[in-house]
Amino acid sequence: GQHQAAIQKFEQAINRRPEDADGYYNLASTYYQLGKRNQDTSYLSQAEIAYNQALQYNHNHEDAYRGLAVLLVETGRPESAFKLLKGWEKRQPKLADAKVEVARLYDEFGDKETAVRYLEEALSVDTNSARAWTALAKLREETGDYAQALANYQRSFELNSLQPHVGERVASLQNMIGVTTAPNSTATTRVASRPWVPRSY
């Protein structure tokens, strides 16, 4: 919560490693939090600049794309968020994460059908994308297709057991539809290295 001190530290890190995209991402995330908390557009503008700098040095920085898209939506520019993420997906058609991010945005705007299509495309290029399986499971669950949602969650959990929320969904759906085998309940929680950007999956 010490945002000003964090800004100073991240700026020092950038000065030491000016081409490290993570430094700009972390700086952007801090400015974003300050802008949100204080309703200060100047901080949000600085966050937008820093997100773009992160993408300048890492063209596939997933968290920077997500953070910038969230910022664009929250500042009344959803069309720019779609353009940003769809542009990334078109430049990287074999990258599942890009398709997952586009799907997430369509999902948040209520277009579940298009979201599913992008997730299916993501899995067609990378069948081992745990994020894509989780996202698809979420949409299946929302439509009441609980058996398919369970299968998708289970596949995601097999690929990455360090997802406590996925394990919880598996257990809940198993209980709902009468399946007895539970996922590994002793899985530990991975500490997120970039905790500030909202995630729906």
Side-chain angles (χ1 to χ4, degrees):
Q2 299 181 41
H3 294 105
Q4 294 297 341
I7 287 171
Q8 183 179 19
K9 294 295 185 182
F10 290 137
E11 287 177 342
Q12 291 172 358
I14 289 169
N15 288 334
R16 287 195 300 268
R17 301 180 62 187
E19 296 184 2
D20 183 1
D22 286 343
Y24 295 101
Y25 167 78
N26 287 323
L27 182 63
S29 297
T30 308
Y31 277 132
Y32 171 78
Q33 287 297 310
L34 276 171
K36 285 272 290 182
R37 186 182 69 179
N38 300 323
Q39 297 184 332
D40 189 323
T41 57
S42 65
Y43 282 131
L44 294 177
S45 295
Q46 291 178 81
E48 185 171 346
I49 291 169
Y51 280 132
N52 279 301
Q53 287 174 309
L55 294 174
Q56 176 183 344
Y57 290 108
N58 181 350
H59 302 307
N60 293 315
H61 199 295
E62 170 198 331
D63 290 325
Y65 273 109
R66 174 181 289 274
L68 181 52
V70 168
L71 187 153
L72 290 169
V73 170
E74 292 184 350
T75 54
R77 293 172 287 168
E79 68 288 344
S80 295
F82 276 101
K83 182 178 180 180
L84 172 75
L85 295 181
K86 292 177 80 171
W88 179 32
E89 189 271 334
K90 287 182 180 178
R91 290 189 300 273
Q92 299 290 340
K94 300 299 183 182
L95 186 63
D97 282 342
K99 297 180 188 297
V100 171
E101 290 302 323
V102 177
R104 178 196 63 82
L105 196 57
Y106 274 108
D107 178 18
E108 291 180 358
F109 278 84
D111 189 345
K112 309 294 185 181
E113 183 177 345
T114 302
V116 168
R117 177 170 60 81
Y118 272 100
L119 292 172
E120 289 173 344
E121 290 179 8
L123 291 169
S124 74
V125 300
D126 182 5
T127 189
N128 293 321
S129 172
R131 288 189 63 227
W133 284 114
T134 299
L136 190 58
K138 170 184 172 291
L139 292 173
R140 299 301 190 201
E141 185 177 4
E142 288 174 352
T143 61
D145 190 352
Y146 300 122
Q148 190 61 55
L150 174 59
N152 294 161
Y153 279 129
Q154 287 174 322
R155 177 59 176 152
S156 177
F157 200 80
E158 289 170 3
L159 292 166
N160 179 6
S161 63
L162 301 180
Q163 301 181 90
H165 64 290
V166 174
E168 291 167 4
R169 295 316 307 147
V170 170
S172 177
L173 288 171
Q174 285 175 330
N175 183 61
M176 179 185 297
I177 63 180
V179 178
T180 58
T181 303
N184 178 10
S185 60
T186 62
T188 57
T189 301
R190 179 169 54 189
V191 176
S193 60
R194 304 183 180 92
W196 296 310
V197 179
R199 288 183 178 274
S200 57
Y201 41 74

